[in-house]
Amino acid sequence: YFKMVKYTLLPGNQGSILKIELEQSEFGSIGLGIHFDSDYKAGLLITSRFKNVLFKNVQLSTTLGLSENPHLSFKLYQDRGLLPSLALSGKWTSFSFIDYLGGKDKIGEYRLSNLVFDLYLQSVNKQALAFGGGFQIELSGLRNNVGIDFGVDDSRYSQNYFNFFAFMKLDKWDHSFFPHSGGKVDIRAVFVTKLLVGGNLNLGEKATVLFGEYDKAIPLSKRWTLRPKAYVGLTFGEGIYISQLFIIGGQGSHYLPGMISFTGLDVAQLADRQVVGGRLRLQYRIFNKHYLLSTIDFANVKYNKSELLDFGNGAIGYGLTWGYDSFIGTVELSFMGSN
């Protein structure tokens, strides 16, 4: 944010006065990286952040991922702290996944594409707390590559709809990937109010989708950390909305709001309208930036809310991970399985 910082000690009546002079960077930054994981394969990642775009304190950030599963996003907003500021963002994603019958037997392969534009007000406090709300236009498509014929043109579902949404995020972790203390809260609500013209699976039903997650890091000693997490997602109203499903499986970052990492499951191995679950992770810092993590995940994913407390057929995942916090990002190697 600053390309030069100068400080001077000046004499005062009761001590010294610290004078700080800052020269703000005018351009911003551009980043280039290479990413690989077993879910989304290899890819080239290009990020940028520009400041004082159009007006003072207006920031523009962009991300472009080039791979078998590409994605593109941007965000334009003015940082005014707790004062509400207008923000505009957009995101396009396209990724393939395997469909499973009952979460076990492979029956098809599909590609999901999603384009969403958000216009909203947000407030930010010290880069740790953010909350706000607004409206969004969303266009989703699900194409059949191999498997069950959808019985529609080109074997492709498409849905276009207009939503209202609100969110609140709190991040007090002391480390982005291997926290020793602090907590994270993620709460969001989406109200699907009107289906737009153009989709072949526009159900005409209103729906409200709620999600809440709490992720805590509890220090047990200088090297040991207990990391419990709990989450719940509920859908009120009829109809299935492709991009608003809760999708369980895979590791790391995901493309849609309802995608949740789960040890021992492939991407989208489980998906439905309701979910309740959690994670218990024990983290040990071996030395310097090397970590060992043992993880147990559990979740129940159902169509009806009345079935959520029936854990007889719930998913349980378990795994052991070695992690390294390198200067180019995290490197992880995991051994995992599930029931």
Side-chain angles (χ1 to χ4, degrees):
Y1 291 101
F2 304 101
K3 67 180 182 180
M4 185 174 293
V5 179
K6 296 180 180 179
Y7 65 91
T8 308
L9 289 175
L10 303 176
N13 294 331
Q14 297 181 348
S16 298
I17 300 174
L18 177 63
K19 179 182 178 182
I20 301 177
E21 297 177 88
L22 305 175
E23 185 176 352
Q24 192 174 34
S25 174
E26 298 177 357
F27 177 72
S29 62
I30 296 178
L32 178 66
I34 297 176
H35 175 83
F36 174 82
D37 63 47
S38 56
D39 293 326
Y40 300 118
K41 314 305 179 190
L44 181 66
L45 188 65
I46 304 171
T47 63
S48 67
R49 177 173 292 181
F50 304 99
K51 297 183 298 178
N52 300 321
V53 179
L54 301 177
F55 304 102
K56 185 177 180 180
N57 292 332
V58 175
Q59 300 186 30
L60 171 65
S61 60
T62 65
T63 300
L64 171 63
L66 301 175
S67 69
E68 295 180 21
N69 301 298
H71 59 96
L72 171 66
S73 65
F74 76 89
K75 183 178 180 181
L76 181 67
Y77 67 100
Q78 185 176 23
D79 188 356
R80 302 174 59 193
L82 284 175
L83 292 176
S85 58
L86 190 65
L88 173 67
S89 66
K91 187 174 184 179
W92 171 79
T93 61
S94 177
F95 67 97
S96 60
F97 64 95
I98 303 296
D99 188 22
Y100 296 86
L101 179 63
K104 296 181 179 181
D105 300 323
K106 296 181 181 181
I107 59 173
E109 181 179 342
Y110 308 96
R111 175 163 289 273
L112 175 61
S113 298
N114 192 65
L115 175 64
V116 58
F117 293 100
D118 298 336
L119 183 63
Y120 56 99
L121 291 173
Q122 71 169 2
S123 297
V124 180
N125 182 25
K126 298 180 180 180
Q127 303 300 318
L129 172 66
F131 58 92
F135 64 86
Q136 62 184 198
I137 295 175
E138 192 163 14
L139 293 81
S140 300
L142 183 63
R143 187 180 73 241
N144 178 336
N145 290 339
V146 178
I148 298 173
D149 186 358
F150 290 155
V152 295
D153 293 341
D154 299 324
S155 196
R156 173 188 174 95
Y157 280 142
S158 59
Q159 292 179 318
N160 308 325
Y161 34 93
F162 177 87
N163 307 330
F164 288 102
F165 71 97
F167 66 92
M168 192 277 283
K169 295 184 178 182
L170 176 66
D171 187 350
K172 300 291 287 184
W173 274 4
D174 61 353
H175 191 282
S176 298
F177 302 102
F178 303 106
H180 185 58
S181 64
K184 293 178 70 173
V185 176
D186 184 3
I187 299 174
R188 59 181 183 267
V190 178
F191 181 35
V192 182
T193 62
K194 185 177 181 180
L195 292 158
L196 304 177
V197 180
N200 62 13
L201 191 65
N202 287 348
L203 302 175
E205 299 285 348
K206 296 180 181 180
T208 300
V209 182
L210 305 178
F211 179 79
E213 179 182 81
Y214 181 61
D215 202 342
K216 178 68 174 176
I218 305 171
L220 302 179
S221 67
K222 289 184 178 181
R223 294 183 180 271
W224 290 95
T225 307
L226 184 64
R227 293 173 52 185
K229 179 173 74 171
Y231 53 86
V232 59
L234 303 173
T235 301
F236 299 86
E238 297 301 322
I240 297 177
Y241 301 97
I242 299 170
S243 63
Q244 300 296 336
L245 291 176
F246 298 108
I247 302 173
I248 310 299
Q251 298 294 306
S253 300
H254 295 308
Y255 290 159
L256 297 177
M259 299 182 81
I260 301 171
S261 297
F262 197 95
T263 305
L265 294 183
D266 292 331
V267 173
Q269 191 161 343
L270 294 173
D272 222 315
R273 301 170 69 246
Q274 324 289 344
V275 66
V276 61
R279 163 178 287 181
L280 188 62
R281 171 168 278 179
L282 186 62
Q283 174 180 293
Y284 177 70
R285 183 171 60 85
I286 305 171
F287 58 88
N288 292 336
K289 298 183 178 182
H290 294 264
Y291 297 83
L292 190 65
L293 304 95
S294 61
T295 304
I296 297 177
D297 277 315
F298 56 93
N300 211 13
V301 188
K302 300 294 182 181
Y303 183 84
N304 296 312
K305 291 183 285 293
S306 59
E307 302 175 279
L308 280 179
L309 297 181
D310 179 13
F311 279 92
N313 295 319
I316 299 176
Y318 44 86
L320 187 65
T321 300
W322 164 79
Y324 174 52
D325 184 20
S326 74
F327 70 96
I328 60 172
T330 58
V331 179
E332 293 185 345
L333 177 63
S334 298
F335 302 91
M336 64 187 76
S338 69
N339 63 339

